[in-house]
Amino acid sequence: MAAITERDVRSSVAATASAATVCSPVIHYLAWVTALTVFPLIWAGGLVTTTKAGMAVPDWPGTYGYNMFLYPWETWFFGPWDLFIEHGHRLLGSLAGIWCIGLVVLSWSLRTPSVVRWMSLAALALVILQGVMGGVRVLQVDREVARIHGCLGPAFFAFLAVLVVVTSRWWQAAAERGFWLSRTEDESGTRVGARAELLRLRAAMLRTLQNQRYVTLTLWALAYLQLVFGASMRHVPETADPYYFRILVWFHVVGAVCVGVAAVILSFTRGCPVPGLCWPRRLLLGAVVLQIVLGLGTWVMRYNFPDWFANELFAQAHLIVSNDFYQVQIVSAHVALGSFILAVGAFSAARIWRAEHGLRTVE
Amino acid sequence: MLKHSLVWWLLGERCPWSARVAVLAGRWAVCGRDLVCLLSVVVAVGCTPPAEFGDNSLEWYKQERAARLEPGQGFPEVHRQDVSDITRVWFGTPDAPQLPLLEGEDDPALELLDMGKLAWAAGPVVSRNEESSQGLYRRHCAHCHGVTGDGRGPTSAFLSPYPRDFRLGKFKFKSSPTGTPPTKDDLKTILVNGIPGTSMPSFRLLQDEELDVLVDYVIYLSQRGMVERFLIAAVRELDEDARLVSLPDAARLRDLPLDVQLGPLQRVAPVGGESAADRDSAADADSVGGSEADAKAGADEDDGSESDGGSGAKADVSYDRDKIADDLLFLAEEQMLPVLEKWLGILDFEAKEVDVPAWVLDSRDAAYESQVALGQKLYFGAANCVQCHGETGIGDGQTNNYDDWTNDWLKVEGINPTDAAAWAPYVNAGAHPPRPIMPRNLRLGVYRGGNRPIDIFRRIQYGIEGTPMPASLTLTEEQIWALVAYVQQLPYETLSRPETAKKLENERPVR
């Protein structure tokens, strides 16, 4: 079996050189920092809604007449919970905004692929929109805006996850020949160089990747729908009819089953043809399982056990304490993990897509 | 098939198809709007309907059925409007609560309820300073108990037991006898302790002052609901073309200038609720069409204030101000005072002091064994607890009872609660589907009204209002304490009564 010829290698180097400009690692790190700021930001947003602290600061963009950044920090930090969390949410949000500005400045001043440039602009636009939406919710005292604000945040987070992938070295590498050459070794470590064999292998890999992409995207869409139902339940107007809430609950439960089924299917699309695709998928599956458990926990922490447990001591002795640590954290964790699932799903799907793309284009 | 499952989502209870469709159709009208809002994620601004006190449509339907009106033929619409207007004039709106004060600033109602506290609890959730937020009721309670206090908040349908409907004025866990409202301390205790085993949370993390505010608001909602029910019952006695207040034809009370509306009742503005009041007057201006302007212009009918839609008619209404005032005063004395007086009673109410006998607390006490034995005898004998709580105490006795909030409408036509087709119209009118109330499983050793001996003593002594659990009118305090001791040792009793233990193992009751 002939090994890979010199000509092959040369042509692959040439392919790399002619590829789009490489993204600066600084941008990639900043994208990570932004995403890592947005996750606690979303968690804090969840806490705001869980404890209904959203209206603790009646004005916007200022805080009680102060410029948001000049608000006396001791009053904020040692103040009542409502103020602490709402003002903290705003500060974190501003921080995320500042990172986004940094992303735009860096990507437009350094040599950067245009996808990244436009994506960072879009990220900035999204973060501004999200901030304004938060402000409108406060000024208009409008639950409906709060719901949209709650749905947009996680979408933004998922978008950042994609940005992290796009700016990474991996993204670059996946389009290079060298990345794929090592893939063509079989289990025993011998080279399978025959052209026919290579083609067969590639077709099989493509099929696996495609399946994984479909399932991941389906799971993502279902998870987002879940998030919309969840947000609608959390922001249900006090005047809504009980049957409206009831429909939402049922949809949310059925949706959870669907996401679970998608996760099971995903775990059956076995094979990790490419490194860097396995761990996001495992993380996604683990998060879905944990999310279902947290969802049940949320119900129990808010509304107690259902009637089936009427004769169990643990259910009858269970006392719900409004806004106590466990209630607030479990409920908010359910919210935050939902966003996390979206981000990991988007991350995973972006990588799968890139791997497919790379495999197709690399000769 | 799909239709079937959709309906099943809606009800989740076992009931025939036809009833579900009836309910679905009825509820669709109400939640259709919400669903449309859900789907229109983008243009959803303005979807949140304003918070208003809902009419007690269940009580209306119930009275219609009680009056044996033909199906589809209800009370005249103006009667509904009158009741809604009068309760609004007396009690205000969810954003601007008022109290009907017959004696102005000296009215005893102000001793019971504090207008400042009511204003603090009412209205939407907003903050005016760093320390606390307004709108405590809507922040902490309304999603279960409903803005009106009707126990029909959005989350209520799934909860068991259903959240309390305050409008009947009945409360379960209190230190006062049946028929007497709970004291403020009782209500506050519930808020601090919550009700374990149900979805009613403990609010012990709120500030003490906030709890007082919420207690006042619960009493206010309860009073409002009780008065509304009385008014609806009063309407039933009226002839079709008679009115509760002397107004011509279709004229509405709420369209008249405020001073006429209130008649002899003084209005005391809520303190500290400036913006809530502002908002209300703004809302008034929209919905009533410049009633504020009218109030200033007095009864000048030709003040030429703009007229739009329904409010346009009011300019030509000629009414007799004194007659209306007399009518309102009469109504207030007949329908409102009894309710208020009942609640005022709690100001002077002192729960009777009872000393907890030493042996109740100490099982090593010499008297303990014999008292438990006495308790057991009473349980199976004179007190007849066994009838409901069962031989083993697991609550498997009589399990086909309903609580008063359900019986209130169930009994009107003698509806069979398992016949869903029969109760569906009531559910359409705003009742929750009936669920039987289970006697407590006394083997678990946890109690909803508190675990202290004195709590259990009160439950046995006065019963649990609104539930089948009866007051022990014939038992002496001694005997009740013996029952307390017996009940309290039930969770540990298995070994001493092997046949009970066996039964326990084999037959856990299925709900």
Side-chain angles (χ1 to χ4, degrees):
Chain A
M1 300 253 136
I4 291 166
T5 65
E6 224 179 307
R7 224 182 95 235
D8 283 343
V9 177
R10 248 189 282 119
S11 70
S12 102
V13 171
T16 317
S18 67
T21 35
V22 183
C23 195
S24 153
V26 186
I27 297 181
H28 177 59
Y29 294 140
L30 189 54
W32 263 115
V33 169
T34 317
L36 291 181
T37 311
V38 167
F39 187 59
L41 173 62
I42 286 182
W43 195 301
L47 287 175
V48 168
T49 302
T50 306
T51 57
K52 300 200 184 162
M55 295 305 299
V57 183
D59 47 350
W60 185 87
T63 291
Y64 283 105
Y66 285 89
N67 176 315
M68 185 185 354
F69 302 105
L70 302 181
Y71 190 75
W73 73 272
E74 321 89 77
T75 325
W76 162 58
F77 199 78
F78 299 110
W81 165 263
D82 290 2
L83 176 69
F84 171 76
I85 191 68
E86 168 65 12
H87 187 62
H89 182 58
R90 291 177 181 200
L91 289 179
L92 259 177
S94 325
L95 187 62
I98 290 170
W99 297 144
C100 286
I101 294 176
L103 276 174
V104 170
V105 171
L106 281 181
S107 61
W108 287 81
S109 52
L110 302 177
R111 235 166 81 86
T112 311
S114 58
V115 207
V116 176
R117 288 189 166 172
W118 290 110
M119 278 184 77
S120 54
L121 261 185
L124 181 62
L126 275 177
V127 84
I128 291 175
L129 178 66
Q130 179 71 347
V132 170
M133 201 98 93
V136 171
R137 184 262 179 273
V138 168
L139 296 180
Q140 300 286 317
V141 198
D142 194 321
R143 280 284 182 94
E144 216 40 57
V145 180
R147 187 168 69 106
I148 301 170
H149 181 75
C151 293
L152 188 60
F156 172 60
F157 185 38
F159 186 78
L160 285 178
V162 175
L163 188 62
V164 165
V165 177
V166 173
T167 53
S168 64
R169 285 237 316 278
W170 191 97
W171 183 265
Q172 208 50 51
E176 288 164 15
R177 185 127 201 254
F179 185 84
W180 296 103
L181 287 184
S182 58
R183 282 335 111 220
T184 49
E185 289 172 16
D186 70 5
E187 266 107 55
S188 60
T190 50
R191 293 236 154 153
V192 276
R195 181 138 186 100
E197 187 69 353
L198 268 175
L199 283 179
R200 194 189 58 74
L201 210 68
R202 189 166 84 168
M205 271 189 201
L206 270 176
R207 221 174 307 114
T208 315
L209 285 175
Q210 204 176 34
N211 286 343
Q212 286 186 357
R213 180 162 53 95
Y214 286 153
V215 182
T216 310
L217 285 178
T218 310
L219 193 151
W220 194 92
L222 285 171
Y224 194 76
L225 211 61
Q226 282 295 82
L227 193 132
V228 172
F229 287 131
S232 306
M233 273 150 72
R234 278 161 67 77
H235 296 284
V236 66
E238 305 92 354
T239 43
D241 190 84
Y243 286 81
Y244 169 63
F245 190 81
R246 200 165 184 158
I247 293 170
L248 288 180
V249 172
W250 278 117
F251 276 143
H252 201 60
V253 169
V254 172
V257 172
C258 294
V259 173
V261 169
V264 170
I265 296 177
L266 185 62
S267 68
F268 276 113
T269 59
R270 275 176 314 129
C272 281
V274 187
L277 290 188
C278 286
W279 68 261
R281 204 178 59 150
R282 283 200 201 110
L283 194 59
L284 188 58
L285 292 176
V288 168
V289 172
L290 184 59
Q291 180 70 341
I292 291 176
V293 174
L294 277 178
L296 296 175
T298 296
W299 185 271
V300 169
M301 292 314 283
R302 271 222 185 275
Y303 306 123
N304 217 323
F305 292 90
D307 259 356
W308 310 314
F309 303 102
N311 284 300
E312 304 299 336
L313 183 57
F314 62 81
Q316 290 307 307
H318 178 47
L319 172 68
I320 293 160
V321 181
S322 177
N323 285 354
D324 78 339
F325 179 82
Y326 297 103
Q327 182 186 52
V328 166
Q329 292 303 333
I330 289 181
V331 173
S332 306
H334 185 58
V335 171
L337 193 60
S339 308
F340 184 77
I341 288 176
L342 289 182
V344 178
F347 185 98
S348 191
R351 277 199 167 180
I352 296 173
W353 179 85
R354 184 62 169 179
E356 275 181 77
H357 175 80
L359 196 55
R360 279 222 184 79
T361 46
V362 167
E363 258 303 304
Chain B
M1 193 62 213
L2 176 76
K3 238 192 260 165
H4 195 102
S5 55
L6 187 74
V7 179
W8 179 72
W9 284 335
L10 282 168
L11 268 171
E13 318 280 335
R14 231 175 304 146
C15 82
W17 222 86
S18 55
R20 285 180 178 165
V21 173
V23 173
L24 174 65
R27 295 328 300 174
W28 180 255
V30 190
C31 45
R33 175 208 170 99
D34 295 322
L35 284 173
V36 170
C37 283
L38 173 70
L39 298 178
S40 60
V41 179
V42 190
V43 261
V45 180
C47 253
T48 320
E52 272 171 9
F53 284 138
D55 289 343
N56 192 339
S57 46
L58 174 61
E59 184 68 17
W60 278 110
Y61 185 71
K62 183 187 112 183
Q63 294 293 357
E64 278 167 17
R65 303 310 304 142
R68 306 271 176 242
L69 296 184
E70 293 295 314
Q73 179 206 348
F75 293 120
E77 184 58 27
V78 303
H79 284 179
R80 283 177 178 250
Q81 291 177 350
D82 281 350
V83 170
S84 155
D85 290 353
I86 293 169
T87 39
R88 186 188 148 113
V89 164
W90 284 350
F91 289 94
T93 64
D95 288 346
Q98 275 163 33
L99 285 178
L101 303 172
L102 285 172
E103 295 167 35
E105 310 256 343
D106 307 322
D107 198 285
L110 290 176
E111 272 170 58
L112 181 67
L113 300 179
D114 180 305
M115 294 306 294
K117 285 184 182 162
L118 292 188
W120 184 351
V125 188
V126 287
S127 299
R128 221 158 282 127
N129 59 47
E130 281 100 329
E131 293 310 320
S132 69
S133 77
Q134 297 285 127
L136 293 181
Y137 181 76
R138 265 182 248 173
R139 178 166 180 186
H140 296 293
C141 323
H143 55 282
C144 290
H145 291 286
V147 172
T148 318
D150 53 4
R152 286 184 62 79
T155 62
S156 60
F158 269 111
L159 306 182
S160 176
Y162 295 123
R164 177 76 68 261
D165 175 355
F166 300 136
R167 298 174 303 181
L168 264 66
K170 290 186 180 179
F171 294 85
K172 285 183 180 175
F173 307 114
K174 53 186 186 168
S175 60
S176 55
T178 320
T180 319
T183 65
K184 283 192 174 187
D185 277 346
D186 292 337
L187 289 174
K188 195 164 164 183
T189 308
I190 286 290
L191 290 191
V192 173
N193 292 348
I195 307 183
T198 78
S199 56
M200 171 69 193
S202 152
F203 290 93
R204 60 178 175 230
L205 297 178
L206 295 192
Q207 293 160 24
D208 195 58
E209 217 189 341
E210 295 181 315
L211 294 178
D212 290 332
V213 164
L214 286 164
V215 164
D216 272 24
Y217 199 73
V218 166
I219 297 178
Y220 158 79
L221 285 178
S222 179
Q223 288 182 346
R224 185 195 164 280
M226 288 165 86
V227 169
E228 185 187 18
R229 280 167 55 90
F230 276 117
L231 286 174
I232 295 174
V235 164
R236 201 188 133 187
E237 310 293 317
L238 288 181
D239 288 335
E240 200 165 307
D241 35 347
R243 303 272 302 258
L244 282 173
V245 280
S246 319
L247 281 165
D249 294 341
R252 292 194 66 169
L253 185 62
R254 64 197 284 177
D255 293 337
L256 301 185
L258 267 184
D259 62 333
V260 180
Q261 289 177 4
L262 289 174
L265 304 177
Q266 309 280 324
R267 165 191 265 220
V268 174
V271 272
E274 333 89 270
S275 87
D278 288 350
R279 213 173 303 112
D280 178 56
S281 57
D284 266 354
D286 300 347
S287 60
V288 184
S291 75
E292 214 67 32
D294 280 10
K296 285 189 203 98
D300 264 4
E301 280 136 54
D302 48 3
D303 66 335
S305 74
E306 46 71 65
S307 51
D308 58 277
S311 60
K314 77 175 183 289
D316 341 307
V317 171
S318 61
Y319 50 84
D320 180 344
R321 164 195 300 250
D322 293 337
K323 188 80 179 66
I324 293 173
D326 281 352
D327 288 345
L328 279 174
L329 187 62
F330 176 75
L331 267 181
E333 277 167 359
E334 289 279 300
Q335 313 298 344
M336 190 180 70
L337 278 189
V339 171
L340 298 195
E341 264 159 18
K342 208 166 160 190
W343 276 100
L344 283 175
I346 68 176
L347 282 175
D348 321 312
F349 177 81
E350 294 249 344
K352 221 167 85 213
E353 282 289 323
V354 276
D355 296 320
V356 183
W359 51 262
V360 171
L361 300 170
D362 185 3
S363 59
R364 286 160 308 179
D365 196 286
Y368 184 77
E369 288 292 323
S370 62
Q371 291 295 336
V372 168
L374 171 63
Q376 184 176 36
K377 226 175 87 198
L378 289 165
Y379 182 96
F380 288 93
N384 201 19
C385 317
V386 65
Q387 179 204 339
C388 295
H389 293 281
E391 272 174 50
T392 57
I394 53 176
D396 59 349
Q398 193 175 342
T399 52
N400 58 356
N401 283 321
Y402 290 82
D403 63 23
D404 285 6
W405 294 270
T406 312
N407 277 336
D408 182 60
W409 54 268
L410 214 50
K411 290 268 159 81
V412 172
E413 289 180 289
I415 282 176
N416 172 6
T418 52
D419 176 3
W423 53 251
Y426 285 89
V427 171
N428 263 337
H432 281 304
R435 288 195 198 120
I437 184 168
M438 295 294 149
R440 191 79 69 252
N441 179 346
L442 299 175
R443 292 265 161 186
L444 298 177
V446 285
Y447 308 95
R448 296 191 176 168
N451 285 352
R452 296 172 309 167
I454 181 68
D455 296 324
I456 302 171
F457 178 87
R458 290 272 186 249
R459 299 297 93 77
I460 300 175
Q461 183 184 30
Y462 294 143
I464 302 181
E465 186 159 2
T467 78
M469 169 81 189
S472 308
L473 299 173
T474 54
L475 300 183
T476 64
E477 282 190 12
E478 272 289 278
Q479 289 173 314
I480 296 178
W481 280 119
L483 274 168
V484 171
Y486 176 68
V487 164
Q488 285 210 303
Q489 61 81 55
L490 264 174
Y492 312 100
E493 202 204 44
T494 20
L495 287 178
S496 62
R497 286 165 55 97
E499 75 281 14
T500 311
K502 204 145 163 248
K503 185 155 189 244
L504 246 182
E505 293 282 284
N506 295 337
E507 330 174 351
R508 302 211 114 181
V510 192
R511 294 186 75 158

